[in-house]
Amino acid sequence: MGRAFWVRVILGLLVASAVEAADVHDVRLWRAPDHTRIVFDLTAPAEHRLLTLKDPARIVLDITDTALKASLTSLPLENTPITLVRSGIRDGDDLRVVFDINAAVDPRSFALKANAQAGDRLVLDLYDRDAKTETTVRKSTAESSRRDIVIAIDAGHGGEDPGAIGPNRLREKDVVMAISRELYALFERDAGFKPTLIRSGDYYISLKGRRDLARQRQADLFVSVHADAFKRREANGASVYALSISGATSTAASYLAQRENEADLVGGVRLSDKDELLAGVLADLSMTSTLDTSLKLGDKVLRRVDTIAHLHKRNVEQAGFAVLKSPDIPSILVETGFISNPGEARKLGTSTYQKTVARAIHAGIRDWFMDQPPPGTLVAWQKQQGGREYIIARGDTLSAIAQRFKVPLARLRDHNGLDDSRIMVGQTLKIPTT
């Protein structure tokens, strides 16, 4: 045997040793409105192949040189097209996972490299072939034939992306979902408003996908709810953000925007999910009133949040949040507090405080739209007819409300049959014509 032979043998051994066998140490499943996602957590990168088989219908995933160390029997298969998941070994060391399905799906798979927030993963998405796109109808009332103001409420993170983690494993995605649902309930009770939840359950949506859903539902406002973490545990306070088309207004704003934009690294973005909102769209933003409206509306929300929480900054901050890059929809991001701060995490984890935060955000948004209702809406028509209503929020006084709407205090009392100036949170006042 010559020298060349031994060189080839040694090189082969070196290559073989460099290829690290992988283990699947966890398998997770989430159901979204239009697809089912299965995530395989790996100890190392692994190649895979996706197959579709018929009679009976099956989706097959072959993962090279990989061993299954997790259970497949406890996956929540209810309301999914999957009826059974099984596994086996093929070609010696390769893992085969078979999904029996009972509905037509379009399968897509991709690998995600390890990053600061998650390890190597293999993702399988089963898209419903007959999925219906949810739309929000801007319903009109028979009385006025005027449409509702649509509020798109975006609970940050979701699914395999938990967001920031606070003390006692408090997860950002759970806190902001609770606040968002409460905010939805508040707007659902308001005449002239139509809320819609961008994420209605525990599943992942890309940042671009969130903007697209708001546009599909013809939203008048996009509000993204978060409770992030910072490098220092002592960082505290709530904030309101709008998009920046240049630099961030502070170091903290830049840091938080970077963290939020990395959500797609955790959740995974398919190759077809390319962001088309590039420099041209951002230039368009600067030439329209969208960003200006976002800043002014954000200030209304910030003023209301100031009545129930400490503010991190006393003005609306700006940074390059990808989720806010809608050129035609005013968009704000509300950081309800730092979940990394033990004191704020304790409050954010309670239902009482979650409702308090939701009421403040709700009141701030209402403040803006009652003053600046979009043309053609019921609220705009009511304003023209002098039939405005106002729901009292925490921190309101009757004299301040009278001053805000430019009506005499005595007239406001008489118009609502009040004997004095005592009011209650949640009470609805009728605002007389000036």
Side-chain angles (χ1 to χ4, degrees):
M1 297 182 185
R3 180 180 177 185
F5 171 80
W6 289 110
V7 169
R8 287 195 299 271
V9 170
I10 293 172
L11 287 174
L13 291 173
L14 289 174
V15 170
S17 63
V19 178
E20 181 181 356
D23 289 338
V24 176
H25 63 86
D26 196 12
V27 182
R28 296 165 291 138
L29 182 148
W30 285 273
R31 177 63 187 169
D34 64 341
H35 72 281
T36 303
R37 168 164 287 194
I38 306 98
V39 179
F40 297 85
D41 290 308
L42 305 171
T43 57
E47 296 182 355
H48 75 281
R49 183 176 63 153
L50 180 65
L51 302 172
T52 302
L53 303 178
K54 298 179 179 179
D55 301 323
R58 289 155 290 159
I59 304 296
V60 177
L61 203 60
D62 287 334
I63 312 175
T64 304
D65 198 17
T66 298
L68 180 64
K69 302 295 185 181
S71 172
L72 299 175
T73 58
S74 59
L75 293 176
L77 303 181
E78 300 81 10
N79 301 316
T80 76
I82 305 170
T83 59
L84 181 65
V85 185
R86 18 194 195 99
S87 66
I89 301 297
R90 63 184 300 274
D91 295 340
D93 296 318
D94 295 347
L95 171 66
R96 168 164 284 190
V97 183
V98 181
F99 300 86
D100 294 341
I101 57 174
N102 60 7
V105 296
D106 291 321
R108 301 175 189 177
S109 62
F110 56 94
L112 290 172
K113 295 181 179 179
N115 56 60
Q117 295 162 298
D120 290 290
R121 284 157 294 154
L122 176 58
V123 179
L124 173 63
D125 284 331
L126 304 180
Y127 285 87
D128 304 337
R129 195 166 292 173
D130 59 349
K132 297 179 180 179
T133 302
E134 180 184 349
T135 59
T136 295
V137 178
R138 290 173 160 181
K139 70 178 188 296
S140 301
T141 64
E143 175 189 4
S144 63
S145 297
R146 298 298 193 272
R147 70 171 181 84
D148 287 340
I149 297 171
V150 178
I151 309 296
I153 304 167
D154 172 46
H157 307 280
E160 67 267 37
D161 174 19
I165 306 294
N168 299 317
R169 304 299 297 169
L170 182 66
R171 302 182 301 185
E172 180 183 3
K173 69 173 183 177
D174 299 329
V175 170
V176 300
M177 189 76 250
I179 294 172
S180 296
R181 284 178 172 153
E182 182 63 26
L183 185 57
Y184 177 94
L186 291 169
F187 275 114
E188 199 172 36
R189 294 196 290 266
D190 284 346
F193 288 85
K194 175 65 179 177
T196 179
L197 287 171
I198 295 297
R199 175 170 72 85
S200 57
D202 186 15
Y203 51 86
Y204 168 78
I205 307 177
S206 71
L207 300 176
K208 177 180 180 295
R210 294 167 192 259
R211 303 192 310 255
D212 290 345
L213 286 172
R215 184 171 293 106
Q216 290 171 17
R217 299 174 190 180
Q218 299 179 294
D220 295 284
L221 170 68
F222 177 89
V223 52
S224 193
V225 184
H226 290 259
D228 216 327
F230 197 61
K231 293 174 286 188
R232 302 191 314 273
R233 292 179 63 193
E234 62 269 22
N236 66 96
S239 305
V240 177
Y241 292 89
L243 179 66
S244 171
I245 57 175
S246 54
T249 52
S250 71
T251 301
S254 176
Y255 175 81
L256 291 178
Q258 181 180 352
R259 275 185 56 89
E260 296 298 355
N261 292 345
E262 287 174 351
D264 278 347
L265 295 177
V266 179
V269 177
R270 292 182 288 111
L271 294 177
S272 59
D273 285 343
K274 293 180 180 178
D275 192 344
E276 298 174 357
L277 295 171
L278 300 175
V281 172
L282 295 182
D284 289 343
L285 265 176
S286 65
M287 293 184 290
T288 67
S289 62
T290 304
L291 183 54
D292 183 60
T293 299
S294 301
L295 289 165
K296 291 177 179 177
L297 191 153
D299 186 68
K300 294 283 189 182
V301 173
L302 192 68
R303 300 282 75 81
R304 287 290 190 165
V305 172
D306 189 23
T307 66
I308 58 99
H310 170 72
L311 295 184
H312 186 67
K313 294 285 185 180
R314 301 206 62 81
N315 56 285
V316 177
E317 293 204 82
Q318 292 179 259
F321 290 94
V323 78
L324 301 182
K325 292 182 180 178
S326 291
D328 52 348
I329 304 174
S331 303
I332 61 172
L333 187 147
V334 182
E335 290 285 0
T336 56
F338 286 90
I339 205 169
S340 52
N341 180 287
E344 290 197 338
R346 278 193 296 272
K347 293 194 298 182
L348 288 167
T350 66
S351 175
T352 300
Y353 190 68
Q354 291 163 1
K355 291 179 179 180
T356 299
V357 172
R359 285 195 297 267
I361 298 172
H362 168 256
I365 294 172
R366 272 187 58 93
D367 286 347
W368 171 261
F369 281 113
M370 298 304 283
D371 284 339
Q372 308 285 337
T377 61
L378 175 62
V379 176
W381 181 83
Q382 288 177 333
K383 183 178 181 181
Q384 292 171 355
Q385 303 302 311
R388 303 173 69 181
E389 292 184 344
Y390 178 77
I391 298 178
I392 295 168
R394 190 176 301 277
D396 277 338
T397 63
L398 197 64
S399 59
I401 295 170
Q403 184 177 12
R404 180 183 307 159
F405 289 101
K406 299 179 175 60
V407 297
L409 176 59
R411 187 175 179 196
L412 181 61
R413 278 201 305 259
D414 292 342
H415 195 68
N416 288 274
L418 300 176
D419 295 329
D420 51 38
S421 295
R422 287 180 294 180
I423 55 177
M424 297 175 60
V425 173
Q427 180 182 351
T428 299
L429 291 179
K430 295 185 180 297
I431 309 299
T433 306
T434 56

